[in-house]
Amino acid sequence: MAILWEKTWQGSKYQVRAAGRTRRLYTDGVFHSQYHPQRTLSGGIWDLLWLPAFFRQPPAFRRVLMLGVGGGTVFHQLQRYADVTGMVGVELNPIHVQVAQDYFEIARCGAQLHQAEAGQWLRDYRGPKFDLIIEDLFSEQAGEPVRAIKADQKWFDLLNRNLSRDGILVMNFVSRKSLRDSAWYHQPKLRKALPQGYQFTLPAFENYIACFLRQPSSSQLLRDQLNGIPELAQEISRGNFNFTVRRLLAGR
C-alpha cells in the first residue's frame, strides 16, 4: 500500500495510504478512516453511522450535523443514499480536516466544515435545528479510544435542543457498557424526549452505534428500505453487510 502523504503533529504521525482508488487515513499506524469514490461500504464501524437515516421514510433531511468528521466518509455515504439538502461537520483535529479536503474529496459533498471543539461549537450555535445529528467524538487514553464528551444528561440536553421535532440522533459508543452508562438509560425525562432507541453492531467490532428517535419507526422499515436499494441488497445478501439492529429498552 503506497503512502501518499504523511505528517507528524503534536506527537502523532498521520498517513494517507492508497490501495488502488481507496484512500485510508492512519494515525500512529492505526487504521482510522477509509474512502473510495465508487464504493459505499468500507467494512468499518462508520458504515453504521449513516444507517439510522433509513428509520425515516423516505430518508430525506434538510440539515445534517456531523460532530467528529474524521475523513468525512459518512458524508459521502449519506449523499449517495439519502436526500440531504445541507451538511455541516465539526472536527477538532486540523489534520483530519486537511485530509478530508485534500484526499477524501469532501468538497464533492458540499459539506461545510468547522475546525472547532464540538461541545463549544454547539453551545455557541444559534442557527436552525438539524434533522439528523451524528456524534462520533473520541479521544485516547493509554492507547484506547474513550468518549471525548461524557454522554450525560447535560450533553444529551444540548444535542436534543438542536434536534428538529422529528429529528434523529446517532451516537457512537465504544462498548455496550459505555452505552448502558449513558444518560438515556437513567433519565426518564430524556427517554420521554427521545422515546425510541436502537443499537447497531458489527461482528468484528466492539462499538455500539445508538440511534434515538423522536417519532415512531421500526427496524423492519429500515431493512425494507435498505433492501429496496439494489447494491445494498446485494451486499446484505452476500453477507458483506452483516449488521445487527436491536431495540433499546431501559432496564435491560
Side-chain angles (χ1 to χ4, degrees), residues 122-142:
L122 204 55
R123 286 190 291 272
D124 293 339
Y125 178 71
R126 295 295 182 271
K129 296 184 178 184
F130 296 92
D131 302 306
L132 175 63
I133 297 179
I134 301 173
E135 189 258 48
D136 186 26
L137 299 171
F138 284 90
S139 58
E140 186 178 293
Q141 288 183 3

Side-chain angles (χ1 to χ4, degrees), residues 17-83:
R17 304 178 190 176
R21 298 191 66 185
T22 298
R23 300 292 180 264
R24 292 181 175 179
L25 170 61
Y26 288 80
T27 303
D28 292 330
V30 178
F31 182 30
H32 186 82
S33 190
Q34 177 171 294
Y35 168 66
H36 188 291
Q38 268 77 50
R39 296 175 190 163
T40 300
L41 300 183
S42 60
I45 197 67
W46 46 85
D47 285 343
L48 303 183
L49 292 172
W50 54 273
L51 271 189
F54 290 92
F55 278 122
R56 178 180 286 191
Q57 186 180 32
F61 303 89
R62 294 183 302 277
R63 294 176 59 77
V64 172
L65 174 64
M66 180 85 186
L67 301 174
V69 173
T73 302
V74 173
F75 283 140
H76 291 286
Q77 294 166 323
L78 279 172
Q79 186 187 52
R80 185 160 184 164
Y81 295 120
D83 180 9

Side-chain angles (χ1 to χ4, degrees), residues 72-225:
T73 302
V74 173
F75 283 140
H76 291 286
Q77 294 166 323
L78 279 172
Q79 186 187 52
R80 185 160 184 164
Y81 295 120
D83 180 9
V84 180
T85 303
M87 294 187 286
V88 177
V90 181
E91 171 59 56
L92 178 62
N93 191 320
I95 304 300
H96 289 179
V97 173
Q98 180 183 352
V99 168
Q101 293 171 335
D102 294 347
Y103 295 96
F104 280 38
E105 300 185 312
I106 200 68
R108 289 179 55 188
C109 301
Q112 181 183 4
L113 294 187
H114 300 271
Q115 197 260 303
E117 193 278 320
Q120 189 60 54
W121 186 91
L122 204 55
R123 286 190 291 272
D124 293 339
Y125 178 71
R126 295 295 182 271
K129 296 184 178 184
F130 296 92
D131 302 306
L132 175 63
I133 297 179
I134 301 173
E135 189 258 48
D136 186 26
L137 299 171
F138 284 90
S139 58
E140 186 178 293
Q141 288 183 3
E144 296 294 329
V146 295
R147 289 192 57 81
I149 299 178
K150 187 177 180 181
D152 57 13
Q153 180 76 48
K154 185 177 180 181
W155 181 232
F156 267 98
D157 285 345
L158 182 58
L159 293 167
N160 193 31
R161 284 200 300 271
N162 287 279
L163 200 61
S164 65
R165 287 181 59 187
D166 59 347
I168 298 174
L169 171 61
V170 181
M171 301 174 72
N172 188 356
F173 292 87
V174 72
S175 66
R176 183 175 184 269
K177 183 181 184 302
S178 178
L179 170 57
R180 291 295 301 271
D181 287 343
S182 72
W184 188 87
Y185 271 94
H186 305 286
Q187 300 294 335
K189 279 188 174 181
L190 183 54
R191 291 197 301 275
K192 185 176 180 180
L194 298 165
Q196 279 202 358
Y198 291 86
Q199 68 181 35
F200 291 81
T201 56
L202 284 172
F205 295 86
E206 296 182 2
N207 297 63
Y208 279 66
I209 305 301
C211 168
F212 306 100
L213 306 171
R214 291 194 190 279
Q215 303 297 329
S217 189
S218 71
S219 57
Q220 188 60 55
L221 170 65
L222 178 139
R223 288 190 179 277
D224 287 345
Q225 292 200 92

